[in-house]
Amino acid sequence: MKHLKVSAPGKLHLLGEHAVVYNKPAILVAVDKRTFVEIKSAENVFKVTSVNYKKELTLSFKEVLEKFKKAESDWNTYDKNNDISLLKSITRDPLDYPFIIIGQFLDHYKINDIQGFELSIDSQVPVGCGMGSSGALSVSIIGALTLFENKKIDKKIINEIAFLAEQKKHGKPSGGDNSTSNYGGLVRFKKDEGVKPLPFGVSDEIRNNFYIINTGTPDESTGEMVSKVRNLFTENELFVQEIMDRQEELVKDLYLALEKNIPKQITEIIKMGEKNLEKIGVVSDYVKKIIRDIEKSGGAAKICGAGGTTKSTGIILIYHTDLKKLKEVLKSHQLTPAQLSLGVEGLREE
């Protein structure tokens, strides 16, 4: 009887979200919140259990393939018409996505028969908050299935399959989330170049000034926010392109500031990057107020995922050299800053 366990980390965007969808570079980092997937042999059934959602679903092999084929067809239609309601319908239930990932794996390897299994998901990565929960899920499930099928772990292939699955969840993702989760570390990512580890370490002086707060799960999904910017791009291509070009320059500046250990520049770069995100309409007024207060106290902050327009935008990344001042500011918003280990290991067998 086969029984194994793997995990993959969540991620944070230091800078470059949204712009990365338009083939601009981004800097991302894997963090120490992981998704754990355990898989063991079972008789003629395919059962997925989510510890977080307290749900389970059992399907036949035929039903798994049918669910995947419908998701593939619906995504192809969405790709043509940008119908966000159709995209949301693909993964309406929390357990739809794990089965679509399984189907994507089977489709890639053209597997027509596979031993039954029970697959359990237990994730530390908050869902829908900009920390790459679905990317970590896709990578960890595909990694588990790779070992279950006695295949060698090839991270390039795992990443390719994970990205195709991510499309069914987010529509037009960049691939940065699954790539960072898969490979781990601190990376530069660009769609047409893939993921490249930064060839230097970040000093403790800088690393220890990064914090996060969680404003809550946005009402809008990542796919909705990506589609919102996509629609804006269609309506006013020049405006959006100029902002994405500015973000590209800021990512280059951040790369150098991290390499040369210049805290003051990092603060200014993150401020400017956040302003650009606000210009494309992905930051709510509620979160803007929090960020302005952080800036007034001498720090910088930005949304760390797709964002949101109603109230919550998920995780906010903060850079601040005075923790006492930061805590004072956030106390008025009933928020508490937290630190995560940055640059952790990617996909691994437990």
Side-chain angles (χ1 to χ4, degrees), residues 191-262:
K191 281 178 74 172
D192 64 352
E193 296 174 2
V195 62
K196 295 180 181 179
L198 268 61
F200 55 84
V202 177
S203 71
D204 287 343
E205 178 188 3
I206 287 178
R207 192 185 298 269
N208 293 337
N209 290 332
F210 278 110
Y211 303 89
I212 61 166
I213 52 174
N214 192 345
T215 64
T217 303
D219 292 334
E220 306 87 354
S221 69
T222 297
E224 284 180 278
M225 297 308 295
V226 172
S227 288
K228 173 182 171 64
V229 179
R230 186 178 174 187
N231 287 333
L232 180 62
F233 183 80
T234 301
E235 295 165 7
N236 196 339
E237 181 176 343
L238 182 61
F239 171 73
V240 175
Q241 191 62 54
E242 286 178 349
I243 290 174
M244 300 309 177
D245 289 343
R246 285 183 217 141
Q247 292 295 77
E248 180 175 20
E249 292 305 311
L250 288 173
V251 166
K252 292 176 182 176
D253 293 342
L254 180 60
Y255 184 100
L256 292 173
L258 291 170
E259 182 181 26
K260 296 180 179 180
N261 193 31
I262 312 175

Side-chain angles (χ1 to χ4, degrees), residues 81-96:
N81 64 17
N82 201 35
D83 180 355
I84 192 63
S85 62
L86 180 60
L87 178 66
K88 291 173 71 175
S89 73
I90 296 174
T91 56
R92 182 174 284 117
D93 186 275
L95 294 187
D96 286 337

Side-chain angles (χ1 to χ4, degrees), residues 66-80:
E66 286 175 348
K67 184 178 281 288
F68 169 72
K69 287 175 182 175
K70 185 176 188 309
E72 184 97 315
S73 174
D74 287 347
W75 182 83
N76 284 328
T77 302
Y78 160 80
D79 188 40
K80 295 183 180 72

